[in-house]
Amino acid sequence: MVAWEPGTILINLKTLLFTAFLSCTLLALKAQNLKKMETNQQDSSAITQVLENYYFKGIYEGNINTLKPIYHPGTLLFGDVKGQPYAKTLDEYLDGVAHRQSPKDSGKPFKGTIISINVVNSIALAMVHVKMYDFNYDEFLSFHKIDNRWLIVNKMISDVAE
C-alpha cells in the first residue's frame, strides 16, 4: 500500500488537469488548422474554376458576357504593355475586348496558366500567365469573396519576354 500525502495528491491532480487542458487545446488547434486548410483548399478550387471556366475562356473567345460576371463593377486594371503605362476601368477594358479580334478568331496561340493562388480569409491573389497574340502577360488578379462568390477586384498586368 502506498501512502499519499495531501500535497502529493493535489500536485498530481493539478498535473493531470493541466495535461488534459493542454491536450484539449492542442486538439482544438489542430482541428481549427485542418478546417482552415480545407476552407483554403475549397476557396483555391473555387478561384481555379473562375479562372479556367470564365477568365481564360472569356479572354480566348472575346466574350464579355463570360467575363463581366467575374469582375466587381469597380474593378480597375493597371500595368504596362510594351513598356507603356496601362490603366483602364472595367468598362473600358470590356469595351476593348468586345471590339478586338478574339484570340480564338485570330488563329494565334493562346494559353492561360495559373501560377499560384494565395487565399487569406475573404481575399485572394492569383498570379497567372497569359500567352495571347504576340504577347506574354504576367498578371496579378486580386479577388474578394462577396456574397459567397469570388470576384476579381483588381487586375495588374505586364507583358514580359517569353
Side-chain angles (χ1 to χ4, degrees), residues 42-130:
Q42 291 168 347
D43 289 331
S44 290
S45 293
I47 292 168
T48 297
Q49 293 299 313
V50 168
L51 291 169
E52 291 176 347
N53 298 333
Y54 297 92
Y55 186 71
F56 295 142
K57 182 180 180 188
I59 293 170
Y60 174 65
E61 295 174 351
N63 186 341
I64 64 169
N65 293 323
T66 301
L67 286 171
K68 191 171 184 176
I70 63 169
Y71 283 96
H72 183 274
T75 299
L76 296 174
L77 299 87
F78 295 97
D80 57 77
V81 177
K82 292 189 177 183
Q84 297 302 308
Y86 178 96
K88 293 186 178 187
T89 65
L90 178 60
D91 289 337
E92 291 169 330
Y93 168 71
L94 292 174
D95 185 61
V97 170
H99 291 97
R100 71 177 180 212
Q101 183 182 35
S102 72
K104 180 180 179 180
D105 293 339
S106 76
K108 293 197 177 203
F110 177 89
K111 181 168 170 98
T113 306
I114 299 170
I115 307 300
S116 64
I117 298 173
N118 296 309
V119 178
V120 178
N121 299 322
S122 68
I123 62 170
L125 181 66
M127 182 178 179
V128 301
H129 182 81
V130 176

